[in-house]
Amino acid sequence: MGLLRMFAGKSPEAHEEKGDAFARQGIFGDARIEFEKALHKIETHFPEKTHLVDRITEKFNSAGESLAAEHIDNARALAQAGDVEQAEELYELALGLAMHENTRRKIEQELARLVRPSPQAETQSPPQSESRVPDFAQEEETAAADVDDEEMFSVLCNALPQQVAEAYQSYGDSFARGYAALNRGDFDRAVGELTRAMAENQGQTTLIPLELATAYLHTEEHARGRELLESYIEENPSEIRAYQLLCEIYWEAGEVSQASDLLASAPEEIRHSPSMLMLTGETRFQAGDMKGANEAFQEYADTHGSDEIVTRALAKTAEAAGQIDYARELYAQLMNQCTACNAAIDPFIKRRFAELSFESGEVSGKLLDLFFSLIREDPDHRGVYYQYIGRIYEKQGENREARRYLGLSGQPG
């Protein structure tokens, strides 16, 4: 396991699967949280998995749509009962969650039709009239869970690059249903529909195998996904997404050498692309070849420009190689970039900078302030931060404060 993984906790896929489970149970708020965690994990700890972002983002949006639908139903019930103020609040919440234009339009229309009692009517307390609010029970349901495959597929295609979207739209109805099912988390149905789409498009070079392989991974049919991808790459050696998916399978199986051989066999024209360099660097990292990993990540930075993704990768590699000062410098660069553009600093970056600073012997008041800020920003790990604070006070000779914070950490003083 690489050093970055030691601090990463659950993988993006684990959060995604948990979100899928919540979604199947109709617990859309929790599902949305898990999908958001998965996206955050990719951004902060797993830069080699950026190819998962589009799929998980759509699931995040879909969960929001479904949650919006629940708010709409509850708002209608409150409006029928005469509680217009609470209904309005729920409609506003739904509006903030809804992504589909039809849903947003429906919410705005129902909001506009809410009839609020005048102050004079309130003092006279007239009997409630059935015409006071519209009869929402007779209106068409707009819940995202009921959005048909065609509309779902259309929304998904709008988020794709134009060339890919046009290809997907040419594969037929079975593919559209399968792709929609895949992005809803209905993986068994996705396998069936995408397998049918493969047969319907037999003899053509398509991207269908990539989506079917993704469905196989989620149904734990790794062997079938692996076989499909290996055959696909033989016929389509320049399709980078296939390499990304197949490397995931090899990494999960602990077959890092297979991933390395795969990447070495790639055509020269894609071998030095950003995605392939990230795959190469991560594969070398998992193999324990920190020098090779650093070379791949550095080539990315030199050839394509330094960005947050590759700077994180270089920092984790430097840590694993024992280059603490260099890693600390890289995390400092990331923090300074966030400050310069007025963006919030990711607590993970701040944590690694603070911990490496402590390892380097720093026990300053500035470092104490950094750990105190992490307690507020990352409360899930407050015990770890209390321990560092206690150790800093201990090294400063502040024994009373040291005992206090070590006690809060749950560690012996």
Side-chain angles (χ1 to χ4, degrees), residues 16 68 72 74 111 127 135 185-186 202 259 269 302 322 332 335 360 368 410:
E16 182 184 11
I72 292 170
N74 291 331
L111 261 173
D135 185 4
D186 189 353
Q202 192 171 7
E269 65 264 23
D302 294 341
M335 291 171 63
S360 300
L368 268 176

Side-chain angles (χ1 to χ4, degrees), residues 275-314:
S275 295
M276 292 296 279
L277 286 172
M278 288 302 297
L279 287 172
T280 299
E282 180 62 24
T283 298
R284 292 174 179 174
F285 182 89
Q286 293 201 24
D289 179 10
M290 297 308 142
K291 182 175 182 295
N294 182 75
E295 288 174 355
F297 294 140
Q298 192 60 56
E299 182 183 346
Y300 176 117
D302 294 341
T303 307
H304 304 287
S306 182
D307 56 27
E308 183 175 341
I309 290 175
V310 77
T311 303
R312 285 175 180 268
L314 284 166

Side-chain angles (χ1 to χ4, degrees), residues 122-174:
E122 286 181 350
T123 57
Q124 295 174 349
S125 300
Q128 296 228 349
S129 168
E130 289 184 1
S131 63
R132 183 171 178 272
V133 292
D135 185 4
F136 296 115
Q138 300 301 317
E139 298 198 4
E140 180 183 358
E141 292 294 330
T142 57
D146 294 332
V147 173
D148 61 23
D149 290 331
E150 184 178 351
E151 183 173 350
M152 178 75 161
F153 182 67
S154 176
V155 171
L156 290 167
C157 285
N158 286 338
L160 295 171
Q162 183 177 354
Q163 187 175 1
V164 176
E166 290 175 354
Y168 279 20
Q169 289 162 347
S170 73
Y171 295 157
D173 292 341
S174 295

